[in-house]
Structure formats: structure tokens, C-alpha cells
């Protein structure tokens, strides 16, 4: 019997033939399987992207309120309770601080902490809120140590 240079048998015309246990489907199967696997991966990625609230990352994470308020140049007021503070980081960094404090000290704390910030009111507040300060709706106060622009 004549053999191919790779050791496999040849037919009477000198063409290589598959030996016992060997097929010629290895390369065509790979050509078909690889795109199928890529398609499955794309489908899984699209479904994950469509069903996630934060598909690119940056989900809110709990942080100490001192860290959240320090980012904005403030300090947690004395007597604050029910504190809930988070940070979201991906392309930008955004802190959210929520807490309760005695009502009588709110205006003084706000004016001491953010002297160049907006005045507190009820605009853009939750329905049940009596008073809030929404820093998203105004220019941010200058960072600590910066000269005021007004």
C-alpha cells in the first residue's frame, strides 16, 4: 500500500484517503462551530446588556457618609440619623447622601456647609419632603480652599 507524506493511505489514483478512525470533517466542522460559538456569545452578551440596570458597570455601592459629604466639601451634621450614602463610578464619580437631622438646625447647617450654594426650598423635592437642597439643579459650590467666583 502506498502512503501519503503525512503517513495516511492513498487510493489507486494517488489521492490521500482517510484512514480508519479519521475523517475529513475536522476543518469544516471547526469552520461551522466557531461562528456558532461566537453567535451564542453575542446573544448572551446582548441579553445581559438588555436586562441589566448597569450594563457597563458602575452600580451604586454603599460608602460611609463622611466620604460622600467630604467629596462635596461638607461634613455630616451632628445629630444626623438614618444615613444612606452611595457612590457610583464608571465614567464619572457621583455620590448620593441621604440622612435625617433635627429640622431646627437644617438651614444653619446648609448655609455653613455650602455658603455659595443654592438656598434650600421645596423645588425638585420628593412629594413628602418639607425642605431639600438639590445640588444637581445648581452650580456646585467651590471646593474647599478655592476662591469664590461670585
Amino acid at each position: 500500500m502506498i502512503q501519503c507524506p503525512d503517513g495516511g493511505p492513498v487510493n489507486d489514483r494517488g489521492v490521500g484517503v482517510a484512514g480508519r478512525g479519521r475523517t475529513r470533517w475536522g476543518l469544516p466542522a471547526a469552520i461551522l462551530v466557531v461562528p456558532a460559538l461566537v453567535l451564542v456569545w453575542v446573544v448572551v452578551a446582548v441579553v445581559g446588556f438588555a436586562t441589566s440596570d448597569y450594563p457597563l458597570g458602575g452600580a451604586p455601592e454603599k460608602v460611609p457618609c463622611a466620604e460622600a459629604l467630604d467629596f462635596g466639601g461638607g461634613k455630616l451634621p451632628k445629630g444626623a440619623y438614618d444615613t444612606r450614602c452611595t457612590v457610583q463610578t464608571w465614567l464619572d464619580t457621583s455620590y448620593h447622601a441621604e440622612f435625617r437631622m433635627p429640622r431646627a438646625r437644617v438651614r444653619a447647617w446648609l448655609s455653613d456647609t455650602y455658603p455659595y450654594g443654592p438656598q434650600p426650598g421645596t423645588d425638585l423635592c420628593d412629594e413628602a419632603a418639607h425642605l431639600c437642597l438639590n445640588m444637581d439643579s445648581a452650580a456646585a459650590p467651590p471646593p474647599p480652599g478655592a476662591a469664590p467666583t461670585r
Side-chain angles (χ1 to χ4, degrees):
M1 174 177 261
I2 303 173
Q3 288 192 338
C4 288
D6 67 354
V10 294
N11 64 12
D12 56 346
R13 290 178 287 167
V15 178
V17 295
R20 186 171 185 211
R22 295 177 65 192
T23 68
R24 294 183 182 262
W25 287 100
L27 183 61
I31 290 172
L32 294 174
V33 169
V34 169
L37 290 175
V38 169
L39 181 62
V40 168
W41 178 81
V42 167
V43 168
V44 169
V46 167
V47 168
F49 191 85
T51 59
S52 173
D53 288 338
Y54 303 97
L56 300 175
E61 299 175 17
K62 288 183 179 182
V63 293
C65 283
E67 176 184 329
L69 288 164
D70 185 55
F71 184 78
K75 291 185 184 336
L76 195 63
K78 291 181 181 179
Y81 58 98
D82 288 343
T83 59
R84 291 182 297 275
C85 298
T86 59
V87 64
Q88 281 185 270
T89 54
W90 184 72
L91 187 59
D92 291 326
T93 299
S94 177
Y95 282 92
H96 176 84
E98 188 174 323
F99 56 89
R100 296 183 183 275
M101 65 181 288
R103 184 181 304 202
R105 295 192 300 220
V106 171
R107 288 188 188 273
W109 177 80
L110 286 172
S111 63
D112 290 345
T113 304
Y114 302 108
Y116 304 106
Q119 294 300 310
T122 57
D123 294 341
L124 303 172
C125 292
D126 291 336
E127 225 173 87
H130 297 283
L131 180 71
C132 72
L133 176 67
N134 190 333
M135 297 301 288
D136 289 338
S137 64
T149 58
R150 294 183 190 177

